[in-house]
Amino acid sequence: MKKVILEAQQLLRETGVENPRVEVTKDPRYGEVSSSVAFELAKKLKKPPLEIAEEIVSRIDFSRANVITVAEVAKPGYINFKINWKLFAQDILDDVLKNGRAYGFPNIGAGKHVLIEHTSVNPNKALHIGHARNTCLGDTLYRLFKRLGYSVVIANYIDDSGNQMADLHIAFKKLGYSLSPPKGERFDEYCGRIYAEVNKIIENNADLLQEKRRVIAELENVGSETFKFNREIVDLVLKDQLSTCWRLGARYDILNRESDVLAFNLWSEVFESLKERGLVYYAEEGPKKGCWLISLSEHPVLSKEGDEVLVKSDGTTTYVARDIAYAAWKLGILRRDFKYNRWGKNPDGSYILITEMDGKVSFPIGKASLVVNVIDSRQKRPQAIVKYAVEKLGGGGGSYIHFAYEVVSLSKRDAEKLGISTGGRFVQMSGREGIYINVEPVINLLKERAKEEILKRHRDWSREKIEDVSEKIAVATIRYELLKSDAEKMIIFDSEEASKLEGDTGPYLLYSYVRAARILEKASIKEFTTTPYNEELEEAEKNLIRKIAYMPLIMEEVANLLLIKRIASYANELAKMFNDFYEKCPVIGSKENIMQFRLALVKAFKQVFENVCSVLGLPLPEEM
RNA sequence: GGGCCCGUAGCUCAGCAUGGACAGAGCGGCGGCCUCCUAAGCCGUAGGGCGUGGGUUCAAGUCCCACCGGGCCCGCCA
């Protein structure tokens, strides 16, 4: 498709138009690509656009064109280019079938390195549906960059210090909670539940509050009993959390414990640099007396809300301070580095490393040209401070991006199911208040629904096959649901709505793929040809080919703008075009030359669809 | 008080970055389509003029300003 645009621009340039703007039309009635240069020139030349367009078109030398056949002038002054479909279709299908898995992914990332942090759920609870949004977004970015040729490292920040961990300590050590959850409940779910219970108790008890402060301080004491016990709990929760992430299709390279940002002295190195550059100051008096603050007075926006405390008067660091150190490390501008031990393996067999003081493994991350941090949009201000700080520290030439996404809230209906009354349309999730819906039960519900559907049509399937396919459908459904909406918009989650399997959903996508698989399986002949059977193809065929041709443009655009939902819409459009083709253009049973071409088209669709879904992380069953 | 995000059909949302050709989907409503490659599908029909008011422009859902409504953030919490 890009070729067509370039060709049109070239033709226009040859008539004397400078920098002609050519874009893909949104309606095929206007040809494949069109230009509105006549409007831009109208003012300069003081002539009506229509006249200018006519003149330009009359000057185009079509003998120099390849795939473009003709240009037409339309109503107010557009120039619409039409193409030789026979050539175009064959070109696209050849491209897809020749490149296979690689089709649609321009190699724009060769030699570039990206670090992505995502998930980063506090290790005191199970993933709720909002955390799943983070994981799916981050994992999709990983998949996209990887396919575009970037080298990518995935980090998961483990906040193992502070408040939320202290609450669990008190629950286990002082309030008599057992370390083993009741039968049927996972450890991460269990911790999430007791965290909410215990938090209320502690907040209303002065003795426990004091104990909590003691625990928080002890947590920074590397090697203490409290420190060790904490690592035990964190590890158990992490195991469960990551099994959920894996189920969602995500993978990780490194787990960075927040406590280790201090333990490995990354913070002290950064603190020294900040002091050297005069970016921080010590408050001698006033309400922040005894604190070290970062000066934000030079920042146009942040300055309006005052400077930020990095080191508290008791000498401990704030979350923002530790995050600045972590960010500087990510950008590769620190001398110091973490050490790791192997923590486990991803389902793909790759190792996951975790920071450890006496770790044996080094994992130099190098200089990232791009550091992407998938963090919800409530943290925009702290993230802006982090970005400001690392840029002042030299930034290493890479760019630090806060990929902000809105939270997931619960619908009124779901909130009421949890026994929460609300006047509004939705209610914010809160781990501390026990207002959340975990993602595992949602996937399980989807899986049950999928099984019911499978049983309706495949009474003869084995249990294993039903398990496998229903799991794929469930995962595809939840991922698509979380990826298709604008990251900047809040999702109001309603389990009833989300468990639908019809319409603009994951199953709709999978279904089109399965239909394609069936055609290829059942076709009596295996020979195919990318040469169209006719000068004029059916509209449905053209629409499908056109959509297939867009893929490289979409992928490159998304990599630049990080607009993930655009991949999701693209997948949906592809599926829609295929379903339309499926209804209107019989493959099996048509005349041999038609069948051979359509088989090639179905093959191409299946390949492209597989490529797109591999980026979205939607697992594809061959039957459903 | 300051900063940020959102406001498009009854409901859920796409389209806004690079303004352009009649404003699109899904769900729900109504009416159709399984002797034919899986109907988790397809087709038709009703339904909005894009929160409001200004402005820029040949052209504004898309850009600018103000206002209204909803949400988030401004802690020696993370």
Side-chain angles (χ1 to χ4, degrees):
Chain A
M1 191 50 77
K2 202 161 188 171
K3 280 193 224 164
V4 182
I5 293 175
L6 291 174
E7 191 175 316
Q9 284 175 328
Q10 184 54 30
L11 291 175
L12 288 171
R13 221 174 279 125
E14 284 167 8
T15 69
V17 182
E18 286 171 43
N19 301 321
R21 260 179 53 190
V22 173
E23 35 197 46
V24 174
T25 55
K26 53 181 176 183
D27 188 327
R29 274 204 322 248
Y30 309 126
E32 294 313 312
V33 297
S34 83
S35 177
S36 54
V37 280
F39 296 99
E40 290 163 40
L41 292 172
K43 212 178 351 173
K44 258 188 259 169
L45 303 176
K46 307 229 189 257
K47 275 202 277 186
L50 204 61
E51 227 173 89
I52 298 170
E54 302 272 13
E55 202 181 317
I56 292 173
V57 169
S58 71
R59 273 196 255 151
I60 296 177
D61 178 6
F62 289 100
S63 69
R64 297 179 52 82
N66 177 26
V67 68
I68 289 175
T69 52
V70 66
E72 289 169 357
V73 174
K75 283 178 277 175
Y78 296 96
I79 301 171
N80 298 329
F81 295 88
K82 301 209 163 165
I83 61 171
N84 177 334
W85 263 93
K86 203 166 180 176
L87 276 179
F88 182 69
Q90 179 153 21
D91 189 42
I92 296 297
L93 296 188
D94 281 341
D95 194 7
V96 175
L97 297 178
K98 195 182 89 211
N99 288 301
R101 253 180 65 82
Y103 175 81
F105 300 106
N107 190 26
I108 56 176
K112 291 187 198 149
H113 177 56
V114 180
L115 188 144
I116 300 172
E117 178 203 323
H118 69 77
T119 304
S120 306
V121 180
N122 290 344
N124 69 332
K125 54 173 165 265
L127 271 80
H128 63 52
I129 191 78
H131 300 128
R133 187 181 198 182
N134 182 311
T135 300
C136 292
L137 286 167
D139 182 58
T140 298
L141 288 176
Y142 161 75
R143 290 162 177 268
L144 176 67
F145 281 118
K146 193 80 185 167
R147 288 301 210 103
L148 291 170
Y150 291 83
S151 99
V152 192
V153 168
I154 300 297
N156 183 357
Y157 191 50
I158 313 299
D159 184 357
D160 58 349
S161 58
N163 258 313
Q164 68 279 13
M165 295 313 299
D167 283 352
L168 285 181
H169 279 249
I170 290 171
F172 292 129
K173 295 289 191 189
K174 297 280 171 194
L175 298 174
Y177 279 86
S178 162
L179 259 176
S180 27
K183 207 169 164 53
E185 191 173 28
R186 293 175 14 156
F187 190 70
D188 60 349
E189 293 167 344
Y190 173 62
C191 286
R193 182 166 61 78
I194 66 179
Y195 167 61
E197 285 175 19
V198 158
N199 187 264
K200 283 195 195 77
I201 299 170
I202 298 173
E203 292 304 311
N204 297 310
N205 181 316
D207 290 346
L208 290 175
L209 267 177
Q210 198 185 338
E211 173 64 9
K212 182 171 169 178
R213 273 190 290 273
R214 196 189 62 78
V215 172
I216 291 173
E218 253 322 87
L219 281 173
E220 292 203 10
N221 182 2
V222 179
S224 69
E225 275 310 306
T226 307
F227 181 89
K228 284 185 196 154
F229 181 61
N230 191 50
R231 294 230 149 165
E232 272 175 48
I233 300 176
V234 168
D235 217 61
L236 287 171
V237 172
L238 218 41
K239 242 177 94 197
D240 285 344
Q241 284 186 345
L242 286 210
S243 78
T244 298
C245 298
W246 289 329
R247 191 179 186 192
L248 287 168
R251 63 170 298 287
Y252 304 87
D253 294 300
I254 46 180
L255 309 176
N256 300 110
R257 291 193 239 241
E258 191 180 62
S259 58
D260 283 330
V261 171
L262 296 176
F264 281 91
N265 289 316
L266 303 187
W267 164 249
S268 12
E269 185 178 339
V270 164
F271 193 29
E272 286 312 310
S273 306
L274 288 169
K275 282 185 200 161
E276 277 166 27
R277 289 164 204 249
L279 294 165
V280 290
Y281 65 93
Y282 183 77
E284 300 282 358
E285 54 189 7
K288 306 277 165 83
K289 183 171 184 226
C291 298
W292 282 89
L293 293 94
I294 182 166
S295 166
L296 300 170
S297 52
E298 284 177 33
H299 193 285
V301 178
L302 295 173
S303 56
K304 294 181 183 174
E305 291 173 17
D307 297 338
E308 184 82 4
V309 174
L310 296 186
V311 180
K312 300 182 229 169
S313 56
D314 65 2
T316 61
T317 52
T318 61
Y319 156 81
V320 173
R322 297 189 290 266
D323 220 32
I324 291 171
Y326 186 42
W329 170 80
K330 284 176 180 169
L331 286 161
I333 56 176
L334 297 187
R335 292 188 311 277
R336 296 190 176 125
D337 198 351
F338 295 107
K339 284 279 189 185
Y340 306 83
N341 277 336
R342 282 179 178 166
W343 182 84
K345 274 186 182 177
N346 287 300
D348 66 9
S350 57
Y351 283 105
I352 302 177
L353 304 175
I354 190 161
T355 55
E356 199 73 69
M357 276 316 283
D358 55 6
K360 302 285 183 292
V361 184
S362 289
F363 189 79
I365 51 162
K367 293 243 180 217
S369 51
L370 192 63
V371 172
V372 182
N373 306 280
V374 184
I375 305 174
D376 80 60
S377 59
R378 290 174 302 191
Q379 295 200 35
K380 275 191 177 173
R381 178 180 152 86
Q383 279 301 305
I385 295 169
V386 170
K387 185 180 169 70
Y388 175 76
V390 291
E391 277 171 3
K392 287 283 183 185
L393 287 174
S399 50
Y400 186 88
I401 294 174
H402 174 203
F403 182 93
Y405 65 95
E406 261 296 342
V407 295
V408 178
S409 297
L410 296 184
S411 68
K412 190 186 176 78
R413 189 162 40 167
D414 273 4
E416 279 163 0
K417 276 189 215 157
L418 294 176
I420 295 142
S421 59
T422 166
R425 296 163 47 231
F426 60 89
V427 59
Q428 291 267 333
M429 283 197 275
S430 159
R432 207 168 21 148
E433 291 169 53
I435 307 172
Y436 55 81
I437 290 185
N438 285 336
V439 66
E440 286 278 351
V442 173
I443 306 176
N444 292 338
L445 174 65
L446 285 167
K447 193 169 176 177
E448 285 311 309
R449 297 270 161 104
K451 276 185 191 168
E452 286 166 24
E453 293 299 318
I454 290 171
L455 285 173
K456 279 187 207 163
R457 50 211 103 185
H458 306 288
R459 304 305 298 257
D460 57 325
W461 279 18
S462 68
R463 254 184 53 199
E464 293 72 32
K465 189 162 181 180
I466 294 173
E467 270 300 305
D468 175 54
V469 173
S470 59
E471 175 73 13
K472 283 178 173 156
I473 293 170
V475 169
T477 306
I478 190 75
R479 274 192 77 120
Y480 182 71
E481 189 66 23
L482 293 172
L483 293 172
K484 75 172 181 184
S485 55
D486 193 330
E488 287 194 340
K489 286 187 186 173
M490 185 194 288
I491 292 179
I492 299 174
F493 184 84
D494 183 86
S495 25
E496 205 46 53
E497 281 300 313
S499 60
K500 298 236 166 94
L501 306 177
E502 291 162 13
D504 183 13
T505 63
Y508 177 80
L509 303 184
L510 303 199
Y511 192 68
S512 67
Y513 179 80
V514 164
R515 281 177 145 182
R518 229 25 5 86
I519 293 174
L520 296 179
E521 181 191 283
K522 291 194 176 170
S524 54
I525 56 164
K526 298 297 166 195
E527 297 77 36
F528 59 90
T529 174
T530 57
T531 309
Y533 55 88
N534 200 334
E535 290 296 330
E536 263 314 303
L537 296 170
E538 295 291 327
E539 269 316 303
E541 292 171 312
K542 286 190 192 174
N543 288 339
L544 182 54
I545 293 166
R546 186 154 32 222
K547 210 43 102 178
I548 287 171
Y550 288 162
M551 182 170 169
L553 296 177
I554 305 273
M555 293 303 138
E556 191 166 351
E557 181 186 77
V558 174
N560 291 329
L561 304 172
L562 306 184
L563 277 174
I564 289 172
K565 66 169 174 198
R566 208 156 280 196
I567 309 174
S569 333
Y570 176 65
N572 175 270
E573 288 160 14
L574 258 181
K576 197 166 269 182
M577 291 308 161
F578 181 76
N579 277 326
D580 189 44
F581 164 80
Y582 184 90
E583 295 290 331
K584 292 178 181 150
C585 305
V587 179
I588 295 166
S590 356
K591 282 196 298 188
E592 180 126 339
N593 60 334
I594 297 181
M595 169 146 74
Q596 288 195 1
F597 174 72
R598 288 184 177 165
L599 278 174
L601 180 50
V602 174
K603 261 174 136 47
F605 161 75
K606 189 163 178 274
Q607 180 68 60
V608 170
F609 201 69
E610 207 176 295
N611 294 359
V612 173
C613 288
S614 79
V615 173
L616 293 170
L618 311 185
L620 294 169
E622 294 293 313
E623 287 179 80
M624 67 188 273

